[in-house]
Amino acid sequence: MEVVENEEKTGIAQSSSEGTHQASNCRTGGLRTMPFIIVNETFEKIASLGLTPNMVFYLRDDYGFQIAAASSILSLWSAASNALAIAGAVLADSYVGRFRSIILGSFSSFLGMALLWLTAMIPQLKPSSCSSSGILCDSANPYQLAILFTSLGFISIGAGCIRPCSIAFGADQLTNEKKPNNEGVLDTYFNWYYASSGIASVIALTLIVYIQDEFGWRTGFAVPAVLMLFSVLIFLVGSSLYVKVKPTQSLLTGLLQVIVVAFKNRRLSLPYSNYDQYYLGPDPKFLVPTDSMRCLNKACLIKDAENDLNPDGSISNPWNLCSVEHVESLKNFLRIIPMWSTGILMLVCLNQNSFGTLQAKTMNRHITGSFEIPAGSIGVCMIISLSVWLAFYDRIMVPLLERCGHAGGLSPRLRMGIGLLLSCFAMAISAVVEGTRRRIATEEGLEDQPYAVIDMSVLWIVPQCVVLGVAEGFNAIGQIEYFYSQMPKTLSSVAVALYTVEMAVASLVGSALVQMVNGITGKGNETSWLDNNLNKGHLDYFYWLCAALALMNFVGYLLCNRTYGLSENRRCNESNEVQDFEYRKLPSS
């Protein structure tokens, strides 16, 4: 990116025709913009995460959903939010820019939260007659469901626009063409960003959940809506200070173009010797495409040089012709899909927190005589264990391993495998704890009282949360590092996008699994494993099923690791890669 600056006259940096930044000077960008960006993301995270833990109770008690249906709705909501993050990244990178994307997302989130608050305020927006036991409720009519799902949809759109853009937008403010090696400033920003995200998650799972438990849904939904309004206003206050990068082509769009062009050219024959028919690009890193996945090589075949190429040799229409480099980038992307797929069931295990919240509601949650832990706050143990483990690994284990000759600590693939095995162990713990909880409820004669509190401490749920948190620390971070190590630098940002897609797929798989188990085990007059009354159902059997699936997934991972696992030094061996542009270690949307 070329920037010409006239300091003597105006001090204003003007972008060239090839630049991507808007005009900026000493009055824009820098650390002074960080409070607006970080506060915006923090308030959005507190507001959205604060709605999640107790939402299963709102759907069950106020809308009459069975717990299996409520869990599926929450899984689909999570899937939509993660899937829309990919759409939001493409929208920001290719069309509207990150600033407008964050503004759009903030307003959408606020609108969704305000609409959700109205469902608690206006009795006509939800079923009005429920039995005192809360088990049998009138079904919500289509109008009421439309309002509810519209509110959740707006919140998902907001999350999809904000989350993939916020961290990259902050990095844009710290980009300095005069000082390209400002990694120290960027590291400080990333540390503060992730620290604020962790604090926001803890606040959401404790304070917001506590407000909902103590003051009801009207206040509990109003607080997130107000926080989201503050998030919008604070971000707009700093508008004049931001460096706003113009949209360019998204990397994901480039990958899609290869697939489209290869499909268009599917009837063409590949040349056996005349490699001049392949379009190498203006700065080729590959002389010919590789033989693997040969069908994709048709995307870089020049059919008609006069129509496919401009006079300067560039591509006239990227939807009709791609370069060899783009084709090889897609191949690298496809090669890691088998390894990527093994993380789906790991996330399915992590996403069963709604059942853990229902369990906690029936257990003794008192810490002191007057204070009890909100049921929805039990998930904070997972976040704390994840944070503690990452700090321990980074500051203690890695230095020790380096002294023993293992530079960089444990390999990403080893950490991925350990995380998968720990997820299986965590599900087994969950099954044992739930079996014990159900047995105690039966012994106390509470089998027909689903809302009764049994004489069993909620702290019994903590071990499974701790193990799941450590499992996520091993697997999730290992996955992202592995994706980075196997993909070319031009696709580094896709590594995070891959994990986001994986979370969306895991939510869909989890929803389908819950519906399938509920349908099969509840046939006829049989009591479903996932019955509304946990004391009559068999949630422990469901956990054992998840443990068995996690173990099978681990075996599948070992096979994929042996068959598809590539050398983690591939990117290091690409040192001969020619780069005529300034490479910045910054995440894109």
Side-chain angles (χ1 to χ4, degrees), residues 274-295:
N274 184 17
Y275 295 123
D276 292 337
Q277 288 184 253
Y278 292 117
Y279 177 71
L280 302 180
D283 187 17
K285 300 177 179 62
F286 300 90
L287 297 179
V288 292
T290 58
D291 289 334
S292 62
M293 306 182 205
R294 286 172 55 85
C295 60

PDB file of all heavy atoms in Angstrom, residues 274-295:
ATOM      1  N   ASN A 274       1.421 -28.662 -22.780  1.00  0.00           N
ATOM      2  CA  ASN A 274       1.432 -27.226 -23.037  1.00  0.00           C
ATOM      3  C   ASN A 274       0.951 -26.466 -21.806  1.00  0.00           C
ATOM      4  O   ASN A 274      -0.233 -26.168 -21.671  1.00  0.00           O
ATOM      5  CB  ASN A 274       0.537 -26.897 -24.249  1.00  0.00           C
ATOM      6  CG  ASN A 274       0.598 -25.412 -24.603  1.00  0.00           C
ATOM      7  OD1 ASN A 274       1.507 -24.702 -24.182  1.00  0.00           O
ATOM      8  ND2 ASN A 274      -0.360 -24.964 -25.402  1.00  0.00           N
ATOM      9  N   TYR A 275       1.882 -26.178 -20.914  1.00  0.00           N
ATOM     10  CA  TYR A 275       1.518 -25.503 -19.677  1.00  0.00           C
ATOM     11  C   TYR A 275       1.315 -24.005 -19.861  1.00  0.00           C
ATOM     12  O   TYR A 275       0.976 -23.306 -18.918  1.00  0.00           O
ATOM     13  CB  TYR A 275       2.594 -25.754 -18.627  1.00  0.00           C
ATOM     14  CG  TYR A 275       2.704 -27.207 -18.233  1.00  0.00           C
ATOM     15  CD1 TYR A 275       3.907 -27.885 -18.348  1.00  0.00           C
ATOM     16  CD2 TYR A 275       1.589 -27.904 -17.773  1.00  0.00           C
ATOM     17  CE1 TYR A 275       4.010 -29.225 -18.011  1.00  0.00           C
ATOM     18  CE2 TYR A 275       1.678 -29.245 -17.427  1.00  0.00           C
ATOM     19  CZ  TYR A 275       2.887 -29.899 -17.555  1.00  0.00           C
ATOM     20  OH  TYR A 275       2.972 -31.227 -17.209  1.00  0.00           O
ATOM     21  N   ASP A 276       1.555 -23.505 -21.091  1.00  0.00           N
ATOM     22  CA  ASP A 276       1.310 -22.082 -21.338  1.00  0.00           C
ATOM     23  C   ASP A 276      -0.178 -21.749 -21.294  1.00  0.00           C
ATOM     24  O   ASP A 276      -0.547 -20.574 -21.265  1.00  0.00           O
ATOM     25  CB  ASP A 276       1.871 -21.681 -22.713  1.00  0.00           C
ATOM     26  CG  ASP A 276       3.384 -21.735 -22.734  1.00  0.00           C
ATOM     27  OD1 ASP A 276       3.983 -21.650 -21.640  1.00  0.00           O
ATOM     28  OD2 ASP A 276       3.952 -21.869 -23.831  1.00  0.00           O
ATOM     29  N   GLN A 277      -1.026 -22.773 -21.305  1.00  0.00           N
ATOM     30  CA  GLN A 277      -2.462 -22.525 -21.242  1.00  0.00           C
ATOM     31  C   GLN A 277      -2.929 -22.148 -19.837  1.00  0.00           C
ATOM     32  O   GLN A 277      -4.049 -21.701 -19.653  1.00  0.00           O
ATOM     33  CB  GLN A 277      -3.228 -23.778 -21.700  1.00  0.00           C
ATOM     34  CG  GLN A 277      -3.143 -24.040 -23.198  1.00  0.00           C
ATOM     35  CD  GLN A 277      -3.999 -25.219 -23.596  1.00  0.00           C
ATOM     36  OE1 GLN A 277      -3.508 -26.298 -23.902  1.00  0.00           O
ATOM     37  NE2 GLN A 277      -5.306 -25.014 -23.600  1.00  0.00           N
ATOM     38  N   TYR A 278      -2.068 -22.334 -18.857  1.00  0.00           N
ATOM     39  CA  TYR A 278      -2.416 -21.961 -17.485  1.00  0.00           C
ATOM     40  C   TYR A 278      -2.063 -20.503 -17.237  1.00  0.00           C
ATOM     41  O   TYR A 278      -0.992 -20.025 -17.643  1.00  0.00           O
ATOM     42  CB  TYR A 278      -1.670 -22.840 -16.480  1.00  0.00           C
ATOM     43  CG  TYR A 278      -2.101 -24.282 -16.466  1.00  0.00           C
ATOM     44  CD1 TYR A 278      -1.202 -25.294 -16.808  1.00  0.00           C
ATOM     45  CD2 TYR A 278      -3.391 -24.640 -16.117  1.00  0.00           C
ATOM     46  CE1 TYR A 278      -1.586 -26.624 -16.798  1.00  0.00           C
ATOM     47  CE2 TYR A 278      -3.786 -25.969 -16.111  1.00  0.00           C
ATOM     48  CZ  TYR A 278      -2.880 -26.951 -16.448  1.00  0.00           C
ATOM     49  OH  TYR A 278      -3.274 -28.262 -16.436  1.00  0.00           O
ATOM     50  N   TYR A 279      -2.960 -19.807 -16.534  1.00  0.00           N
ATOM     51  CA  TYR A 279      -2.687 -18.413 -16.179  1.00  0.00           C
ATOM     52  C   TYR A 279      -1.917 -18.381 -14.857  1.00  0.00           C
ATOM     53  O   TYR A 279      -2.426 -18.812 -13.824  1.00  0.00           O
ATOM     54  CB  TYR A 279      -3.997 -17.625 -16.045  1.00  0.00           C
ATOM     55  CG  TYR A 279      -3.782 -16.193 -15.618  1.00  0.00           C
ATOM     56  CD1 TYR A 279      -3.213 -15.269 -16.498  1.00  0.00           C
ATOM     57  CD2 TYR A 279      -4.131 -15.765 -14.343  1.00  0.00           C
ATOM     58  CE1 TYR A 279      -2.998 -13.957 -16.105  1.00  0.00           C
ATOM     59  CE2 TYR A 279      -3.929 -14.458 -13.953  1.00  0.00           C
ATOM     60  CZ  TYR A 279      -3.353 -13.559 -14.840  1.00  0.00           C
ATOM     61  OH  TYR A 279      -3.136 -12.271 -14.443  1.00  0.00           O
ATOM     62  N   LEU A 280      -0.687 -17.872 -14.911  1.00  0.00           N
ATOM     63  CA  LEU A 280       0.185 -17.876 -13.734  1.00  0.00           C
ATOM     64  C   LEU A 280      -0.041 -16.675 -12.826  1.00  0.00           C
ATOM     65  O   LEU A 280       0.212 -16.742 -11.622  1.00  0.00           O
ATOM     66  CB  LEU A 280       1.655 -17.917 -14.167  1.00  0.00           C
ATOM     67  CG  LEU A 280       2.058 -19.109 -15.051  1.00  0.00           C
ATOM     68  CD1 LEU A 280       3.536 -19.027 -15.393  1.00  0.00           C
ATOM     69  CD2 LEU A 280       1.732 -20.410 -14.350  1.00  0.00           C
ATOM     70  N   GLY A 281      -0.516 -15.575 -13.376  1.00  0.00           N
ATOM     71  CA  GLY A 281      -0.689 -14.373 -12.569  1.00  0.00           C
ATOM     72  C   GLY A 281       0.471 -13.415 -12.747  1.00  0.00           C
ATOM     73  O   GLY A 281       1.517 -13.765 -13.295  1.00  0.00           O
ATOM     74  N   PRO A 282       0.329 -12.182 -12.251  1.00  0.00           N
ATOM     75  CA  PRO A 282       1.371 -11.168 -12.444  1.00  0.00           C
ATOM     76  C   PRO A 282       2.638 -11.451 -11.639  1.00  0.00           C
ATOM     77  O   PRO A 282       3.716 -11.015 -12.006  1.00  0.00           O
ATOM     78  CB  PRO A 282       0.689  -9.873 -11.976  1.00  0.00           C
ATOM     79  CG  PRO A 282      -0.353 -10.334 -11.009  1.00  0.00           C
ATOM     80  CD  PRO A 282      -0.839 -11.652 -11.531  1.00  0.00           C
ATOM     81  N   ASP A 283       2.535 -12.143 -10.538  1.00  0.00           N
ATOM     82  CA  ASP A 283       3.693 -12.417  -9.691  1.00  0.00           C
ATOM     83  C   ASP A 283       3.653 -13.896  -9.302  1.00  0.00           C
ATOM     84  O   ASP A 283       3.340 -14.239  -8.164  1.00  0.00           O
ATOM     85  CB  ASP A 283       3.655 -11.516  -8.452  1.00  0.00           C
ATOM     86  CG  ASP A 283       4.915 -11.646  -7.626  1.00  0.00           C
ATOM     87  OD1 ASP A 283       5.915 -12.158  -8.161  1.00  0.00           O
ATOM     88  OD2 ASP A 283       4.890 -11.252  -6.442  1.00  0.00           O
ATOM     89  N   PRO A 284       3.948 -14.783 -10.236  1.00  0.00           N
ATOM     90  CA  PRO A 284       3.698 -16.207 -10.003  1.00  0.00           C
ATOM     91  C   PRO A 284       4.602 -16.825  -8.947  1.00  0.00           C
ATOM     92  O   PRO A 284       5.802 -16.575  -8.908  1.00  0.00           O
ATOM     93  CB  PRO A 284       3.957 -16.831 -11.379  1.00  0.00           C
ATOM     94  CG  PRO A 284       4.911 -15.901 -12.053  1.00  0.00           C
ATOM     95  CD  PRO A 284       4.543 -14.527 -11.559  1.00  0.00           C
ATOM     96  N   LYS A 285       4.002 -17.629  -8.091  1.00  0.00           N
ATOM     97  CA  LYS A 285       4.739 -18.426  -7.114  1.00  0.00           C
ATOM     98  C   LYS A 285       4.729 -19.895  -7.516  1.00  0.00           C
ATOM     99  O   LYS A 285       5.429 -20.705  -6.933  1.00  0.00           O
ATOM    100  CB  LYS A 285       4.129 -18.252  -5.720  1.00  0.00           C
ATOM    101  CG  LYS A 285       4.148 -16.814  -5.226  1.00  0.00           C
ATOM    102  CD  LYS A 285       3.476 -16.698  -3.879  1.00  0.00           C
ATOM    103  CE  LYS A 285       3.517 -15.262  -3.379  1.00  0.00           C
ATOM    104  NZ  LYS A 285       2.795 -14.339  -4.249  1.00  0.00           N
ATOM    105  N   PHE A 286       3.881 -20.238  -8.494  1.00  0.00           N
ATOM    106  CA  PHE A 286       3.805 -21.604  -9.020  1.00  0.00           C
ATOM    107  C   PHE A 286       3.918 -21.524 -10.541  1.00  0.00           C
ATOM    108  O   PHE A 286       3.253 -20.707 -11.178  1.00  0.00           O
ATOM    109  CB  PHE A 286       2.476 -22.269  -8.636  1.00  0.00           C
ATOM    110  CG  PHE A 286       2.240 -22.388  -7.161  1.00  0.00           C
ATOM    111  CD1 PHE A 286       1.593 -21.378  -6.463  1.00  0.00           C
ATOM    112  CD2 PHE A 286       2.661 -23.508  -6.469  1.00  0.00           C
ATOM    113  CE1 PHE A 286       1.370 -21.486  -5.109  1.00  0.00           C
ATOM    114  CE2 PHE A 286       2.444 -23.621  -5.106  1.00  0.00           C
ATOM    115  CZ  PHE A 286       1.798 -22.611  -4.424  1.00  0.00           C
ATOM    116  N   LEU A 287       4.757 -22.380 -11.112  1.00  0.00           N
ATOM    117  CA  LEU A 287       4.899 -22.412 -12.563  1.00  0.00           C
ATOM    118  C   LEU A 287       3.811 -23.257 -13.212  1.00  0.00           C
ATOM    119  O   LEU A 287       3.371 -22.964 -14.325  1.00  0.00           O
ATOM    120  CB  LEU A 287       6.282 -22.956 -12.945  1.00  0.00           C
ATOM    121  CG  LEU A 287       7.467 -22.106 -12.481  1.00  0.00           C
ATOM    122  CD1 LEU A 287       8.778 -22.757 -12.907  1.00  0.00           C
ATOM    123  CD2 LEU A 287       7.360 -20.688 -13.033  1.00  0.00           C
ATOM    124  N   VAL A 288       3.395 -24.307 -12.531  1.00  0.00           N
ATOM    125  CA  VAL A 288       2.299 -25.156 -13.006  1.00  0.00           C
ATOM    126  C   VAL A 288       1.482 -25.588 -11.805  1.00  0.00           C
ATOM    127  O   VAL A 288       1.997 -25.638 -10.681  1.00  0.00           O
ATOM    128  CB  VAL A 288       2.829 -26.417 -13.752  1.00  0.00           C
ATOM    129  CG1 VAL A 288       3.491 -26.039 -15.055  1.00  0.00           C
ATOM    130  CG2 VAL A 288       3.773 -27.206 -12.859  1.00  0.00           C
ATOM    131  N   PRO A 289       0.205 -25.899 -11.983  1.00  0.00           N
ATOM    132  CA  PRO A 289      -0.588 -26.411 -10.855  1.00  0.00           C
ATOM    133  C   PRO A 289      -0.167 -27.839 -10.506  1.00  0.00           C
ATOM    134  O   PRO A 289       0.337 -28.585 -11.347  1.00  0.00           O
ATOM    135  CB  PRO A 289      -2.024 -26.366 -11.386  1.00  0.00           C
ATOM    136  CG  PRO A 289      -1.890 -26.438 -12.873  1.00  0.00           C
ATOM    137  CD  PRO A 289      -0.607 -25.737 -13.206  1.00  0.00           C
ATOM    138  N   THR A 290      -0.352 -28.211  -9.255  1.00  0.00           N
ATOM    139  CA  THR A 290      -0.010 -29.556  -8.802  1.00  0.00           C
ATOM    140  C   THR A 290      -1.014 -30.570  -9.349  1.00  0.00           C
ATOM    141  O   THR A 290      -2.097 -30.218  -9.806  1.00  0.00           O
ATOM    142  CB  THR A 290       0.012 -29.621  -7.271  1.00  0.00           C
ATOM    143  OG1 THR A 290      -1.276 -29.235  -6.773  1.00  0.00           O
ATOM    144  CG2 THR A 290       1.069 -28.689  -6.706  1.00  0.00           C
ATOM    145  N   ASP A 291      -0.637 -31.852  -9.272  1.00  0.00           N
ATOM    146  CA  ASP A 291      -1.486 -32.902  -9.828  1.00  0.00           C
ATOM    147  C   ASP A 291      -2.635 -33.296  -8.911  1.00  0.00           C
ATOM    148  O   ASP A 291      -3.579 -33.955  -9.356  1.00  0.00           O
ATOM    149  CB  ASP A 291      -0.640 -34.148 -10.133  1.00  0.00           C
ATOM    150  CG  ASP A 291       0.285 -33.926 -11.323  1.00  0.00           C
ATOM    151  OD1 ASP A 291      -0.058 -33.087 -12.167  1.00  0.00           O
ATOM    152  OD2 ASP A 291       1.331 -34.586 -11.386  1.00  0.00           O
ATOM    153  N   SER A 292      -2.572 -32.951  -7.648  1.00  0.00           N
ATOM    154  CA  SER A 292      -3.659 -33.293  -6.734  1.00  0.00           C
ATOM    155  C   SER A 292      -4.890 -32.446  -7.047  1.00  0.00           C
ATOM    156  O   SER A 292      -4.775 -31.284  -7.438  1.00  0.00           O
ATOM    157  CB  SER A 292      -3.234 -33.072  -5.283  1.00  0.00           C
ATOM    158  OG  SER A 292      -2.924 -31.715  -5.057  1.00  0.00           O
ATOM    159  N   MET A 293      -6.070 -33.055  -6.917  1.00  0.00           N
ATOM    160  CA  MET A 293      -7.347 -32.385  -7.185  1.00  0.00           C
ATOM    161  C   MET A 293      -7.319 -31.717  -8.561  1.00  0.00           C
ATOM    162  O   MET A 293      -7.594 -30.524  -8.713  1.00  0.00           O
ATOM    163  CB  MET A 293      -7.664 -31.368  -6.100  1.00  0.00           C
ATOM    164  CG  MET A 293      -7.630 -31.918  -4.691  1.00  0.00           C
ATOM    165  SD  MET A 293      -8.061 -30.685  -3.457  1.00  0.00           S
ATOM    166  CE  MET A 293      -7.249 -31.330  -2.005  1.00  0.00           C
ATOM    167  N   ARG A 294      -6.990 -32.512  -9.562  1.00  0.00           N
ATOM    168  CA  ARG A 294      -6.776 -31.972 -10.908  1.00  0.00           C
ATOM    169  C   ARG A 294      -7.994 -31.256 -11.465  1.00  0.00           C
ATOM    170  O   ARG A 294      -7.873 -30.377 -12.318  1.00  0.00           O
ATOM    171  CB  ARG A 294      -6.371 -33.107 -11.855  1.00  0.00           C
ATOM    172  CG  ARG A 294      -4.942 -33.585 -11.655  1.00  0.00           C
ATOM    173  CD  ARG A 294      -4.671 -34.839 -12.479  1.00  0.00           C
ATOM    174  NE  ARG A 294      -4.974 -34.644 -13.891  1.00  0.00           N
ATOM    175  CZ  ARG A 294      -4.138 -34.114 -14.767  1.00  0.00           C
ATOM    176  NH1 ARG A 294      -2.943 -33.708 -14.364  1.00  0.00           N
ATOM    177  NH2 ARG A 294      -4.470 -33.985 -16.029  1.00  0.00           N
ATOM    178  N   CYS A 295      -9.177 -31.614 -10.996  1.00  0.00           N
ATOM    179  CA  CYS A 295     -10.383 -30.973 -11.534  1.00  0.00           C
ATOM    180  C   CYS A 295     -10.380 -29.470 -11.288  1.00  0.00           C
ATOM    181  O   CYS A 295     -10.955 -28.702 -12.076  1.00  0.00           O
ATOM    182  CB  CYS A 295     -11.627 -31.608 -10.939  1.00  0.00           C
ATOM    183  SG  CYS A 295     -11.735 -31.481  -9.144  1.00  0.00           S
TER     184      CYS A 295
END
